[in-house]
Amino acid sequence: MKFSEQWLREWVSPQLDAQAIADQITMAGLEVDAVEAVAAAFSGVVVAEVLSKKKHPDADKLNVCSVNDGTGAPVQVVCGAANVAVGQKIPFAQVGGVLPGDFKIKKAKLRGVESNGMICSASELGLEEETSPGILVLSEAAPVGVSFREYMQLDDMTIEVDLTPNRGDCLSIKGLAREVGVLNRLPVSGPQMTPVPATIDDTFPVRVDAVEQCPRYLGRVIKGVDVQVETPLWMVERLRRSGVRSIDPVVDVTNYVMLELGQPLHAFDRDNLHGGICVRMAQPSERLTLLDGQDVALRQDTLLIADERGPLAMAGVMGGENSGVNEQTHTIFLESAFFAPLAIAGKARSYGLHTDASHRYERGVDPELASVAIERATQLLLEICGGQAGPVTEAVHQQALPAAKTIMLREARLEAALSKQLPGDEVSDILERLGLQVERLEEGWKVKAASWRFDIAIEEDLIEEVARVHGYNNLPVRRPAARLALRPANESTLTLARLRNQLVARGYQEAVTYSFVAPDLQAALLPDAVSPVLANPISSDLSVMRASLFPGLVRALEHNLNRQQTRVRLFETGLVFNGPLDELSQVPMMGALVCGGREAEGWSGGKAAVDFYDLKGDLESVLALGGAAEDWRFEPGEHSALHPGQTARVLHKGKPVGWIGTLHPQVRAKLGLKVDAVLFEVRLDALSQGAIPTFEPLSRYPEVRRDLAFTVKEETPVQALLDCAKSQAGESLKDIKLFDVYAGKGVAEGYKSIALGLTWQHASRTLNDEEINQLVDAIVTTVRTELNADLRG
């Protein structure tokens, strides 16, 4: 919200400069983004009148003009603007003046004709960013010879406030003046706004079908308006200083009232309306061409203003092209309504729109303001465009209007929250100056919220209001005191910090991505995933909750690859969301992604790319932190995002807790990735489970080792062989290792040779060959029976 300091001072004028006002409202919770001058620095520019005009003798596009600048004698000046005319009041830069950009005005000859000054356009004076099509023409009442800066009141500042969504009541000069008045204990008095009596009987019927979405709708017919007149310069300037471009007098008036009071309005061309106004929800297959020329297909959850022929406007967002005011309009139907915030919230963004009206309605507009605004707009329209106003037609459903909330503020609670006891009279004064109705009770204050304060609903809201108006800097600084017992730490639980540090030590960097992702990206990786869709997303690319960490990591990979980072090591921890909203599960996960070379580029490093086993090794190093590596297993599996044959399901104590694998080639092609990537994702609750280490003395007796090589089918997993061997190896088995895998000469096609090293050791005696041989025979028999494997000689 941008506003002019001078406009604000018409409502309330504290003894503070613009920067002090900005600092004050910032400390009150209305953060100021910028304080800027409304016009660039220039000097020597006065209001002048064009006395005569004739063609330049040697240039078709130049005119030789005589102007009265208030100095006595007429001044000759050469002007190239096509719109210059005798009798105009114009800004005139005198010889010796300086325009923006340090452009000095000097006597000059243009095609042989002397020119003593310059008739200026708005852009030459720094009042418009784009080049103006002609000179700036002032009001006929502008006094000749007066400083142009003084006449236009250009020694003014614009203050831009960044309001939080709960302070929609400050999206107007009136609302900001109310805040400044409260902070400085000053009365607020705006321009006189009296009801405009009807001078004609013309009305237009209004019906509200969507009562909950539009509890109040007002309309008024105004005949005989002249849309060809120019908007007064004072209004154009106020709009400009608020960041709004002047369009035509009718639209300018509605924008002006919106900025002044905070109530959006809309004007229809009455001759293009048929039957009557109906406020209703959109029907199937309806379309509307908006004022910006965009043709949209309307959804059934969209609130419309319609007549008997169809939609006229998207309520609270934007009007339609066919019913808007145009150059031929002479009768308008002026609309002023209260639309429920939830009926408008997110609608504009869902259609790719954002308007000043939707910005206000989404945050909440005072439901009692519509009647005041339509009278104020009528008053300005009659003054500027002329015409005659009919009576106001109102459709109101009181039961659907927001009810004023009554809240109890306890004195003891206020003192505890602020760490300071405020006088009761001061608290009452603060609340009353905020526009709240206050009743003093023994235990505190009974407060009725104002209609424009949607954000005041509970006791804490009142405490916040008292604190910010009293001044946060005036509250004591106290550190909280508490007796804090040490929390017991479970030694078997791994902390998230240890898990993160392990991956960082292995060359990974932590990524922090959004919890919501692009629907097409999630669909490419997880086509069967069900997760909540956001009703009001930041953007269309962040509109569904992630069902896995994979989409965020893949998007981070794309970001790095697009910036020539070809070796990527990323991990992330966070929640994933699965299921519909009413059955939503939120599971903390750890995921990682690797891509590029196995080793960093260097003279001693190889150029081999990472593969499945590299990432598996990194994951196993994390699993080993818990001291219970035997609780974890990897089994072949199938995952929509991962490569068939290079995918494993991660099991913890027999339960599936995650996945690891290479990105599926089809998914990679769909996403436009030209390199392989390997990913894993495991539940954090499983990763954090560990075992408490126990002491076991070293045995004094010798170890016994036997190496066994088995020939098995290629598709047989090594884990199956290890499981068979462990099941028959007895309690004295100390270690079992896979030390060789071979396929080739000497091994039948379709088979592979797997060599295991088994080590036995007893704690209290020496194992003899007979015992070991029995165990080896049992292992060989079981492996041959269960896996159809042969012992290789």
Side-chain angles (χ1 to χ4, degrees):
M1 170 70 186
K2 291 176 67 175
F3 65 95
S4 156
E5 178 192 356
Q6 290 180 357
W7 195 359
L8 176 71
R9 289 189 185 277
E10 286 189 6
W11 289 73
V12 60
S13 186
Q15 298 299 311
L16 302 170
D17 61 18
Q19 188 59 54
I21 292 174
D23 294 342
Q24 185 182 59
I25 62 178
T26 294
M27 289 305 299
L30 310 180
E31 184 180 352
V32 172
D33 281 349
V35 180
E36 299 175 341
V38 301
F42 60 83
S43 61
V45 181
V46 298
V47 176
E49 181 180 7
V50 180
L51 300 177
S52 66
K53 165 190 166 184
K54 60 182 180 180
K55 284 291 182 182
H56 191 289
D58 295 324
D60 293 337
K61 294 185 178 180
L62 297 180
N63 297 299
V64 180
C65 302
S66 174
V67 302
N68 174 18
D69 63 353
T71 57
V75 179
Q76 180 175 290
V77 61
V78 176
C79 178
N83 66 326
V84 65
V86 175
Q88 289 176 336
K89 300 291 182 63
I90 43 87
F92 180 68
Q94 298 171 314
V95 173
V98 181
L99 297 184
D102 199 29
F103 180 70
K104 297 179 181 178
I105 304 299
K106 302 176 181 178
K107 289 184 179 180
K109 280 191 176 182
L110 298 177
R111 296 287 184 93
V113 177
E114 188 176 281
S115 181
N116 300 298
M118 178 177 173
I119 302 176
C120 302
S121 67
S123 57
E124 289 166 340
L125 294 170
L127 303 181
E128 289 181 359
E129 292 184 4
E130 298 179 1
T131 303
S132 303
I135 61 170
L136 178 61
V137 180
L138 308 178
S139 167
E140 294 179 0
V144 172
V146 172
S147 166
F148 178 73
R149 289 193 74 91
E150 180 182 333
Y151 169 69
M152 292 291 292
Q153 298 182 336
L154 293 179
D155 295 321
D156 185 14
M157 306 294 288
T158 58
I159 302 174
E160 185 171 0
V161 182
D162 184 13
L163 296 170
T164 52
N166 66 313
R167 292 311 305 272
D169 61 295
C170 291
L171 285 167
S172 65
I173 293 294
K174 182 180 181 180
L176 290 165
R178 203 158 41 212
E179 285 290 302
V180 174
V182 169
L183 297 173
N184 293 281
R185 298 178 180 271
L186 294 174
V188 177
S189 57
Q192 189 69 24
M193 300 182 195
T194 56
V196 177
T199 55
I200 57 174
D201 297 329
D202 294 51
T203 60
F204 195 68
V206 171
R207 187 178 87 250
V208 176
D209 290 346
V211 173
E212 295 296 326
Q213 292 81 6
C214 178
R216 170 169 279 147
Y217 188 94
L218 288 81
R220 178 176 234 168
V221 174
I222 303 177
K223 292 181 65 175
V225 294
D226 182 3
V227 297
Q228 301 296 330
V229 300
E230 290 189 5
T231 304
L233 191 57
W234 62 267
M235 182 176 285
V236 173
E237 266 299 290
R238 286 190 171 176
L239 292 174
R240 181 185 73 84
R241 297 177 196 188
S242 299
V244 178
R245 181 173 58 89
S246 174
I247 298 174
D248 63 55
V250 176
V251 175
D252 290 348
V253 165
T254 58
N255 283 336
Y256 183 86
V257 174
M258 179 183 68
L259 294 171
E260 183 180 54
L261 302 180
Q263 171 69 52
L265 302 106
H266 185 66
F268 297 96
D269 186 329
R270 167 63 184 83
D271 294 337
N272 290 329
L273 306 182
H274 304 274
I277 290 290
C278 179
V279 185
R280 60 171 175 81
M281 305 305 292
Q283 298 172 357
S285 304
E286 285 191 311
R287 303 188 70 87
L288 175 65
T289 302
L290 300 171
L291 283 171
D292 62 359
Q294 182 182 173
D295 182 69
V296 295
L298 300 168
R299 299 190 310 273
Q300 290 179 255
D301 63 347
T302 303
L303 185 64
L304 296 182
I305 312 299
D307 65 4
E308 65 179 18
R309 293 191 176 183
L312 300 171
M314 198 181 296
V317 179
M318 186 181 289
E321 184 178 62
N322 297 330
S323 61
V325 174
N326 54 62
E327 294 179 355
Q328 285 73 43
T329 300
H330 58 81
T331 302
I332 65 171
F333 178 75
L334 185 62
E335 166 195 278
S336 181
F338 169 72
F339 300 119
L342 289 179
I344 308 300
K347 294 298 182 297
R349 188 179 289 113
S350 69
Y351 286 99
L353 303 169
H354 181 78
T355 63
D356 289 332
S358 66
H359 187 75
R360 285 163 172 78
Y361 278 124
E362 287 176 345
R363 287 153 177 77
V365 173
D366 183 359
E368 304 299 327
L369 187 60
S371 57
V372 177
I374 200 168
E375 297 290 355
R376 174 61 168 162
T378 302
Q379 175 190 349
L380 292 170
L381 283 168
L382 296 182
E383 290 176 2
I384 297 170
C385 303
Q388 296 176 297
V392 174
T393 303
E394 180 177 15
V396 60
H397 300 270
Q398 292 291 342
Q399 74 280 4
L401 287 169
K405 296 180 177 64
T406 300
I407 309 121
M408 185 66 199
L409 175 59
R410 295 165 292 168
E411 191 167 7
R413 177 74 180 90
L414 179 66
E415 181 180 349
L418 303 186
S419 297
K420 182 177 183 179
Q421 184 175 13
L422 299 181
D425 291 343
E426 181 181 349
V427 176
S428 297
D429 179 59
I430 289 173
L431 296 174
E432 287 171 353
R433 285 188 286 117
L434 285 166
L436 313 180
Q437 296 179 28
V438 182
E439 181 183 349
R440 187 68 162 102
L441 302 176
E442 183 177 350
E443 65 273 22
W445 299 265
K446 186 178 180 182
V447 181
K448 187 175 182 181
S451 59
W452 59 83
R453 291 302 299 269
F454 285 79
D455 60 317
I456 296 180
I458 58 177
E459 186 176 29
E460 284 71 15
D461 296 330
L462 294 175
I463 293 172
E464 179 187 5
E465 292 300 301
V466 172
R468 70 182 189 84
V469 175
H470 177 72
Y472 294 122
N473 290 337
N474 297 325
L475 297 176
V477 177
R478 294 184 182 175
R479 294 176 177 83
R483 295 186 174 218
L484 302 176
L486 293 175
R487 297 177 60 185
N490 189 339
E491 292 185 34
S492 66
T493 301
L494 290 171
T495 64
L496 182 58
R498 281 195 65 190
L499 298 173
R500 286 169 168 165
N501 290 340
Q502 178 67 15
L503 286 174
V504 170
R506 296 181 75 90
Y508 287 75
Q509 292 182 312
E510 185 171 12
V512 180
T513 66
Y514 283 108
S515 295
F516 18 89
V517 296
D520 55 344
L521 175 61
Q522 181 148 294
L525 292 163
L526 309 161
D528 299 325
V530 176
S531 62
V533 178
L534 300 182
N536 192 17
I538 295 174
S539 70
S540 58
D541 288 340
L542 298 169
S543 59
V544 297
M545 303 300 292
R546 65 187 179 194
S548 164
L549 296 180
F550 287 171
L553 289 170
V554 169
R555 186 66 78 203
L557 171 63
E558 291 177 341
H559 183 84
N560 279 272
L561 293 176
N562 290 339
R563 286 154 182 79
Q564 293 82 48
Q565 301 301 312
T566 56
R567 188 173 186 269
V568 179
R569 301 284 189 284
L570 296 174
F571 78 93
E572 182 177 15
T573 59
L575 293 173
V576 300
F577 307 86
N578 282 281
L581 194 59
D582 53 349
E583 300 177 7
L584 186 65
S585 69
Q586 304 181 53
V587 182
M589 305 288 285
M590 171 175 274
L593 178 148
V594 294
C595 174
R598 179 173 293 148
E599 300 178 21
E601 184 179 2
W603 66 271
S604 62
K607 296 183 179 180
V610 291
D611 59 20
F612 175 90
Y613 296 102
D614 292 301
L615 186 64
K616 183 172 181 283
D618 292 336
L619 175 56
E620 287 177 331
S621 76
V622 174
L623 305 182
L625 290 177
E630 66 278 2
D631 291 343
W632 295 87
R633 294 171 64 89
F634 296 86
E635 290 186 351
E638 293 184 2
H639 189 285
S640 59
L642 303 178
H643 194 306
Q646 297 185 39
T647 300
R649 181 185 285 276
V650 183
L651 304 176
H652 180 248
K653 296 181 179 178
K655 295 182 179 179
V657 294
W659 292 92
I660 181 172
T662 305
L663 194 62
H664 199 296
Q666 292 180 355
V667 174
R668 192 159 54 83
K670 189 180 295 185
L671 298 177
L673 293 173
K674 297 181 180 179
V675 294
D676 279 328
V678 192
L679 310 91
F680 79 70
E681 181 180 49
V682 182
R683 290 178 63 117
L684 266 177
D685 55 359
L687 286 173
S688 62
Q689 294 179 32
I692 298 177
T694 57
F695 173 74
E696 184 178 316
L698 294 174
S699 176
R700 294 178 298 167
Y701 299 95
E703 295 179 346
V704 179
R705 172 161 173 158
R706 294 284 190 275
D707 292 343
L708 303 175
F710 295 95
T711 304
V712 298
K713 292 183 178 180
E714 283 187 345
E715 62 268 18
T716 303
V718 172
Q719 187 65 51
L721 186 61
L722 292 172
D723 290 342
C724 283
K726 287 179 182 179
S727 68
Q728 301 299 319
E731 296 180 355
S732 298
L733 182 70
K734 185 178 181 182
D735 191 20
I736 181 169
K737 292 181 179 178
L738 168 69
F739 67 86
D740 184 51
V741 177
Y742 170 74
K745 186 177 180 181
V747 177
E749 187 177 350
Y751 286 80
K752 60 185 175 182
S753 172
I754 298 175
L756 304 179
L758 296 95
T759 303
W760 287 270
Q761 186 180 36
H762 200 279
S764 58
R765 62 184 179 84
T766 300
L767 295 170
N768 56 49
D769 287 344
E770 184 178 350
E771 290 177 291
I772 298 301
N773 290 337
Q774 288 177 355
L775 294 173
V776 169
D777 290 343
I779 292 171
V780 171
T781 301
T782 302
V783 169
R784 181 180 290 118
T785 302
E786 295 188 7
L787 300 180
N788 194 25
D790 292 325
L791 185 66
R792 192 174 171 215

